[in-house]
């Protein structure tokens, strides 16, 4: 059992024991008050009439008249007790009953049910009428002197229901232990899983262990599994990136070393060798440049993102450049930028992202086919969609998300040795830095369609100047 278990157990136990003691005290006060409210003197209206009649008889007729009245009263017999605690008919009277009658005599509310009368014989008699229940429980005949009942035990000032409290305490301890275990067990599992993750083991899964739970701890376990999955994918991506970078750099370095060795062995081919060395140097510089760009984008270093970019102007420039490049390889580019939206961001970065997608489409589309570039504005969601469509071989469905990973080459285009597989990765990072998204899907009639969704800042029209107002603000 861990420390957390005992903390849960202790505080739950203290709370429950406090509740039990509080309930016991409440019952004790209730029982005491009920005992105080209980009385053995008849307080009913008929008792008031009977006591008044007896008091008048004693005052004006004497003790003998009162004795006859009591003997003829039947069930409801008045008790007359003098100052020496002797009853007029010689009946036994419980001292507690006399004390209660004298206490009622001193109160205003019940004074009428008890009378104290001084008789002609010089004695002062206390007149009261016991309750019917009290009369039923009095043994012996009224003409005899019955034996005195055993003295009544005094109720303690505080009465605790010991058996209910004992049962409640045992039940509280049991459920406190059960509740503490219920909360501490998944936390111990989380602690163990975090310790394993810190040591590099990301294979622990908490969802199967908490499958029967549906509380926040189960949500935390599922979030932990999601976190380890992402960490595992990130670590695998980093390892793959390191492998791919070393592989991509090894080839030009090997060619550089071979060219240098060839130049030493064949000095007459120095010019051709230097040209080869220069070409390999450019390739390495391009690769390192793309890696640095990707690294800065992943670190969130995007530079100034305050440019007001008109999509129509940006796409027009990209289409012109792409059309010139495509014609040199017997491909075509068809597109018209007719969108007046303005995007806030980095002009050079956004130009590079869209250009990478368009150039990739030009490389993959078949000879004598056309790459289409279309735009569509969603005014409700304030997004502009830029679609780049080619007529190439497409991408297998299970690789549609992987083509945006570093150095990934689709199985249908892996024979293509142009580029390093970083163009689409850089494009995705730039688009996401602008608050947008990029998705790829296969077309029904062949080819690949890449959709770029970008949130726009405003729309420029000839009749409105909302963008100008935003810039001035």
């Amino acid at each position: 059992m861990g420390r957390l278990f005992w903390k849960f157990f202790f505080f739950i136990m203290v709370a429950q024991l406090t509740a039990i003691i509080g309930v016991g005290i409440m019952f004790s006060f209730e029982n005491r008050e009920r005992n105080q409210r209980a009385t053995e003197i008849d307080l009913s209206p008929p008792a008031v009439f009977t006591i008044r009649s007896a008091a008048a008889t004693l005052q004006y007729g004497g003790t003998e008249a009162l004795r006859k009245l009591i003997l003829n009263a039947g069930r409801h017999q008045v008790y007359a007790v003098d100052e020496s605690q002797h009853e007029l008919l010689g009946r036994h009277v419980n001292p507690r009953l006399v004390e209660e009658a004298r206490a009622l005599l001193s109160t205003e509310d019940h004074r009428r049910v008890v009378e104290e009368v001084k008789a002609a014989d010089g004695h002062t008699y206390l007149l009261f009428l016991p309750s019917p229940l009290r009369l039923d429980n009095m043994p012996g005949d009224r003409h005899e002197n019955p034996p005195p009942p055993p003295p009544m035990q005094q109720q303690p000032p505080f009465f605790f229901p010991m058996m209910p409290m004992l049962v409640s305490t045992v039940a509280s301890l049991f459920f406190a232990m059960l509740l503490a275990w219920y909360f501490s067990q998944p936390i111990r599992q989380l602690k163990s899983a975090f310790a394993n993750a810190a040591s590099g083991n990301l294979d622990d899964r908490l969802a199967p262990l908490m499958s029967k739970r549906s509380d926040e701890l189960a949500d935390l376990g599922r979030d932990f599994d999601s976190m380890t999955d992402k960490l595992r994918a990130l670590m695998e991506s980093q390892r793959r990136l390191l492998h791919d970078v070393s592989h991509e750099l090894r080839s030009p370095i090997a060619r550089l070393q071979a060219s240098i060795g060839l130049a030493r062995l064949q000095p007459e081919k120095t010019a051709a060798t230097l040209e080869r060395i220069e070409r390999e140097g450019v390739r390495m510089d391009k690769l390192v440049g793309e890696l640095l760009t990707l690294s800065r984008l992943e670190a969130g270093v995007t530079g100034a993102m305050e440019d007001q970019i008109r999509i129509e102007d940006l796409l027009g420039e990209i289409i012109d450049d792409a059309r010139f490049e495509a014609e040199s390889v017997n491909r075509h580019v068809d597109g018209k930028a007719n969108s007046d939206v303005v995007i806030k961001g980095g002009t050079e970065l956004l130009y590079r992202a869209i250009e990478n997608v368009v150039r990739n489409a030009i490389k993959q589309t078949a000879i004598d086919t056309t790459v289409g570039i279309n735009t569509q504005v969603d005014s409700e969601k304030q997004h502009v969609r830029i679609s780049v469509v080619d007529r190439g071989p497409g991408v297998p469905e299970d690789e549609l998300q992987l083509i945006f990973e570093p150095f990934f080459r689709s199985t249908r285009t892996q024979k293509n040795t142009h580029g390093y597989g970083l163009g689409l990765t850089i494009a995705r990072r730039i688009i996401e830095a602008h608050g947008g998204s990029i998705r790829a899907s296969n077309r029904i009639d062949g080819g690949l369609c890449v959709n770029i969704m970008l949130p726009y800042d405003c729309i420029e029209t000839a009749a409105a100047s909302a963008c100008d107002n935003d810039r001035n603000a």
Side-chain angles (χ1 to χ4, degrees):
M1 298 294 180
R3 292 169 295 176
L4 187 62
F5 171 85
W6 291 114
K7 288 181 181 179
F8 270 116
F9 176 76
F10 174 75
F11 285 107
I12 296 172
M13 180 188 68
V14 168
Q16 292 180 339
L17 288 179
T18 303
I20 292 172
I21 294 174
V23 171
I25 293 175
M26 182 186 67
F27 274 110
S28 175
F29 279 112
E30 176 68 21
N31 184 72
R32 186 180 182 185
E33 184 179 356
R34 186 172 60 251
N35 289 335
Q36 290 177 351
R37 290 196 307 263
T39 178
E40 296 182 352
I41 303 297
D42 193 348
L43 305 178
S44 63
V48 176
F49 176 77
T50 303
I51 291 298
R52 287 185 175 181
S53 299
T57 302
L58 177 62
Q59 186 176 4
Y60 298 106
T63 56
E64 189 62 29
L66 179 61
R67 185 181 289 109
K68 292 179 180 180
L69 177 66
I70 295 174
L71 290 175
N72 295 324
R75 178 177 177 83
H76 300 286
Q77 296 181 345
V78 177
Y79 276 63
V81 181
D82 61 12
E83 62 273 8
S84 300
Q85 306 297 321
H86 293 114
E87 206 274 327
L88 182 63
L89 299 183
R91 294 172 294 182
H92 172 78
V93 182
N94 194 317
R96 181 180 175 186
L97 197 62
V98 177
E99 292 178 3
E100 186 177 352
R102 294 191 184 279
L104 291 174
L105 186 65
S106 62
T107 63
E108 291 293 334
D109 295 339
H110 303 104
R111 188 172 182 178
R112 295 176 300 174
V113 298
V114 180
E115 292 286 349
E116 192 173 32
V117 180
K118 188 173 183 179
D121 60 359
H123 294 284
T124 300
Y125 290 90
L126 180 68
L127 306 178
F128 59 89
L129 183 64
S131 65
L133 181 61
R134 176 69 181 171
L135 288 173
D136 291 340
N137 293 333
M138 294 185 64
D141 187 76
R142 63 170 179 250
H143 299 289
E144 300 177 356
N145 292 331
M152 298 183 66
Q153 296 182 353
Q154 296 293 327
Q155 187 73 16
F158 289 97
F159 168 71
F160 286 93
M162 298 305 298
M163 183 57 68
M165 289 181 63
L166 180 61
V167 174
S168 300
T169 302
V170 174
S172 298
L173 293 177
F174 173 74
F175 284 106
M177 183 175 297
L178 186 64
L179 190 61
W181 174 83
Y182 180 78
F183 280 112
S184 61
Q185 183 193 26
I187 296 177
R188 289 197 300 271
Q189 294 171 344
L190 282 169
K191 178 183 176 182
S192 175
F194 273 110
N196 292 335
S199 63
N201 181 15
L202 301 177
D203 295 330
D204 285 356
R205 307 289 296 178
L206 292 177
L209 299 177
M210 301 183 182
S211 58
K212 296 182 179 180
R213 303 178 67 102
S214 59
D215 52 13
E216 287 78 3
L217 290 174
D219 295 338
L220 183 60
R222 286 187 286 270
D223 291 340
F224 174 83
D225 291 343
S226 178
M227 179 192 71
T228 54
D229 290 340
K230 292 180 180 179
L231 284 176
R232 191 183 301 108
L234 181 61
M235 292 174 64
E236 182 64 28
S237 175
Q238 294 296 329
R239 283 194 292 266
R240 187 173 65 249
L241 178 62
L242 206 60
H243 173 269
D244 292 338
V245 169
S246 61
H247 175 74
E248 294 292 341
L249 287 176
R250 186 183 296 117
S251 298
I253 290 175
R255 288 192 290 268
L256 281 175
Q257 292 175 341
S259 299
I260 293 172
L262 183 62
R264 289 176 178 175
L265 294 176
Q266 299 179 357
E268 68 277 6
K269 296 183 178 180
T270 301
T273 303
L274 289 175
E275 183 180 353
R276 178 72 179 216
I277 292 174
E278 181 181 8
R279 187 164 61 249
E280 296 299 334
V282 171
R283 288 173 57 86
M284 291 179 62
D285 180 70
K286 182 179 179 182
L287 173 59
V288 172
E290 291 188 350
L291 287 173
L292 290 175
T293 301
L294 180 60
S295 177
R296 286 195 296 267
L297 290 172
E298 290 184 341
V301 182
T302 57
M305 300 283 285
E306 301 296 329
D307 298 340
Q308 296 290 334
I309 308 169
R310 295 186 73 251
I311 289 297
E312 184 175 1
D313 297 340
L314 185 69
L315 286 180
E317 186 177 351
I318 292 174
I319 291 173
D320 291 341
D321 293 343
R323 188 176 288 127
F324 176 78
E325 180 180 347
E327 289 176 354
S328 64
V329 290
N330 297 326
R331 273 93 169 171
H332 309 284
V333 174
D334 183 24
K336 183 178 180 181
N338 55 359
S339 176
D340 296 327
V341 300
V342 175
I343 294 176
K344 187 177 181 180
T347 305
E348 293 299 327
L349 286 176
L350 197 57
Y351 180 95
R352 183 170 184 178
I354 301 175
E355 184 190 37
N356 284 348
V357 176
V358 174
R359 294 186 67 186
N360 184 76
I362 293 174
K363 291 178 183 178
Q364 302 302 325
T365 194
I367 298 176
D368 291 331
T369 59
T370 301
V371 174
I373 302 175
N374 304 310
T375 59
Q376 184 177 359
V377 178
D378 188 343
S379 301
E380 182 178 352
K381 296 182 179 179
Q382 285 194 328
H383 276 76
V384 57
R385 183 177 67 184
I386 304 172
S387 301
V388 181
V389 182
D390 64 51
R391 297 285 180 174
V395 176
E397 293 295 329
D398 57 343
E399 297 179 358
L400 287 175
Q401 295 300 321
L402 298 177
I403 61 175
F404 298 103
E405 297 297 326
F407 296 105
F408 180 81
R409 291 188 176 90
S410 174
T411 54
R412 297 181 183 177
T413 60
Q414 61 183 355
K415 294 181 180 180
N416 191 342
T417 58
H418 299 290
Y420 302 99
L422 294 175
L424 292 180
T425 304
I426 293 174
R428 185 183 70 174
R429 298 290 192 273
I430 294 174
I431 297 300
E432 291 176 350
H434 284 77
S437 62
I438 182 170
R439 299 286 185 272
S441 60
N442 289 308
R443 303 175 68 245
I444 299 178
D445 53 350
L448 189 70
C449 176
V450 178
N451 289 314
I452 300 173
M453 300 290 293
L454 289 168
Y456 62 80
D457 199 35
C458 57
I459 298 178
E460 280 194 345
T461 61
S465 57
C467 293
D468 293 335
N469 294 334
D470 290 340
R471 294 193 190 100
N472 293 333

